[in-house]
Amino acid sequence: MSKVPVYVADRVALFKDLEHFVIEHQAEEKKLAILLININHFRRINIVYGYQVGDALLTEFTRRLRHLSRAEDYIARMGNSEFIMVLPGILNEGHATLAAHKLLSSFDEPFDLGEHKHKITADMGIALFPDHADNIPGLFQKAEIALLDARNRVQSYSIYSDNAEQHNFNAWDIEAALENALAGDEFELFFQPQICLQTGHVFGAEALIRWNNHDRGYIRPDFFIPVAEKNGQIHSITWWTINTALRLMKDWPDSWVPLKVAVNLSTKILMDPDLTDSVNSALNLWGVNHHQFTLEVTESALMDDMAASFAVLDELKSLGLNISIDDFGTGYSSMSYFKYVPANELKIDQSFVRFMLESDMDRHIVNTVIKMAHGFELKVVAEGIENEETYEALKALGCDVAQGHYLAKPMPQQAFMQWLDDYNQKKLSKD
Ligand code: C2E
Ligand code: CA
Ligand code: CA
């Protein structure tokens, strides 16, 4: 199938054209994903700058899609601002999500439209064969539902789900509920253990926020954090998280070896002028040693304004705390990044770890990141480890720290303390 995006006006003809994918995948029991991609406010670009600029944008958009696609992927433009991409032979939902992430981050870079530079956003709806439908029209319908869902969300992509609860979630006034969450004491902080791969000792834990809403129960952070980032509440949430992590650490027994605790720092906080002072004061207030505390920042967050964000990280690092680059590998950083990034560790994105046993490419990426990071004296953390085989493979590759469901899921303070005691007991009896 050609990689050149054809313009397709006739859906029926297109659907017919794509049927061979279904026949092939059915026979070989393989999965495929359909991505519907819509450029937001495209009409506005035509109105403000004229059709010529609109056309230049479409050409550049197409170029980026093509650049990121594999030879076997099929791309077509379906409407004014709507594109479809068919990803044959994917292993699971994770691969479709990874593709969505890659496409979305390729739009971070402004589009050069002659005299104008323009930043665009796009929404994406994803449906999988055979999980969501077993024919092309059905898949398109499911992808349309997912696209609609993505439009109503802060996150720019959505995978089709027939979970009715998730659909009517959109109608819920999450912002208002979030306003009351702090006052209503609805947040909890969980710890997920991290283990030194080479020694088996406990390294520390990542602190992860949980929202236990009175009406709806537990709500996933990747659902509400983007909302909080949008309405500014991320500030109070971050300070709650940092202070709670430090307070809980103070309750850990003195007999424990000092553990490192990592807290996630939203991009929106990174440019706060008093960030460094506030973090420093919080550490002093709770009397926690600076080198026991780590701030995790996502790689993609730093790419927006690398010079400014590196300066902030430098300042934080000079306080003596640790900087970890989260979701590493999804942000398209170049080699020079390794040399200059003011960090102590890199966290390889879960998507690479998850498939590293099945995918030579993912294993190669993991291996390369480990080698390069070590060359620049950065520790490497692998998260999303779900089985022993992956744990052992990472150990053999020389990875430093492990985190994942194979070891333990995130848990509240009491359970974490119990888990740690049990782990140390077991380790002692084994050694
Ligand atoms: P993240 O920082 O990449 O955190 C890792 C996520 O992977 C966590 O999801 C964790 O529970 C999950 N995880 C760890 N090991 C495994 C595994 O083996 N398998 C699977 N399937 N998942 C695993 P969680 O807690 O739902 O958090 C999602 C995201 O929400 C985080 O991604 C982070 O970006 C954000 N987040 C969580 N807590 C906070 C917070 O306090 N502040 C901010 N700004 N963001 C937070
Ligand atoms: Ca993290
Ligand atoms: Ca991560």
Side-chain angles (χ1 to χ4, degrees), residues 188-190 192 206-210 219-226 229 234 237-238 240-242 263-267 269 296 298 326-327 347 349-350 354 382-387 403-410:
E188 295 165 19
L189 199 65
F190 279 29
Q192 186 177 29
E206 178 174 5
L208 294 154
I209 196 168
R210 295 290 176 261
I219 294 152
R220 294 165 53 127
D222 38 17
F223 187 80
F224 72 83
I225 293 285
E229 284 179 335
I234 190 66
I237 291 178
T238 304
W240 179 87
T241 310
I242 290 177
V263 165
N264 292 284
L265 199 66
S266 152
T267 344
I269 301 287
E296 293 191 6
T298 60
D326 207 352
D327 303 344
K347 278 186 105 163
D349 192 62
Q350 297 196 23
R354 192 79 40 81
E383 68 180 339
I385 302 175
E386 293 190 343
N387 51 54
Q403 180 185 342
H405 292 175
Y406 166 62
L407 294 160
K409 289 189 172 172

Side-chain angles (χ1 to χ4, degrees), residues 178-307:
L178 203 52
E179 292 284 345
N180 298 321
L182 258 185
D185 213 11
E186 295 182 341
F187 290 124
E188 295 165 19
L189 199 65
F190 279 29
F191 292 107
Q192 186 177 29
Q194 298 179 323
I195 302 292
C196 292
L197 266 160
Q198 306 304 326
T199 62
H201 290 134
V202 182
F203 175 78
E206 178 174 5
L208 294 154
I209 196 168
R210 295 290 176 261
W211 178 16
N212 188 0
N213 178 256
H214 289 323
D215 301 321
R216 301 254 169 179
Y218 281 102
I219 294 152
R220 294 165 53 127
D222 38 17
F223 187 80
F224 72 83
I225 293 285
V227 178
E229 284 179 335
K230 207 176 179 186
N231 72 9
Q233 259 194 291
I234 190 66
H235 293 266
S236 43
I237 291 178
T238 304
W239 293 113
W240 179 87
T241 310
I242 290 177
N243 280 293
T244 306
L246 296 170
R247 175 172 59 78
L248 294 172
M249 283 170 86
K250 289 308 284 181
D251 286 341
W252 294 346
D254 293 334
S255 57
W256 284 8
V257 182
L259 304 181
K260 285 186 167 59
V261 168
V263 165
N264 292 284
L265 199 66
S266 152
T267 344
K268 300 283 183 281
I269 301 287
L270 204 60
M271 292 303 151
D272 266 13
D274 42 31
L275 173 69
T276 312
D277 281 347
S278 307
V279 171
N280 197 28
S281 310
L283 284 162
N284 291 334
L285 174 77
W286 292 105
V288 170
N289 211 317
H290 285 57
H291 66 249
Q292 269 182 270
F293 193 67
T294 303
L295 287 171
E296 293 191 6
V297 197
T298 60
E299 183 201 18
S300 50
L302 302 177
M303 304 305 283
D304 285 347
D305 186 346
M306 214 148 112

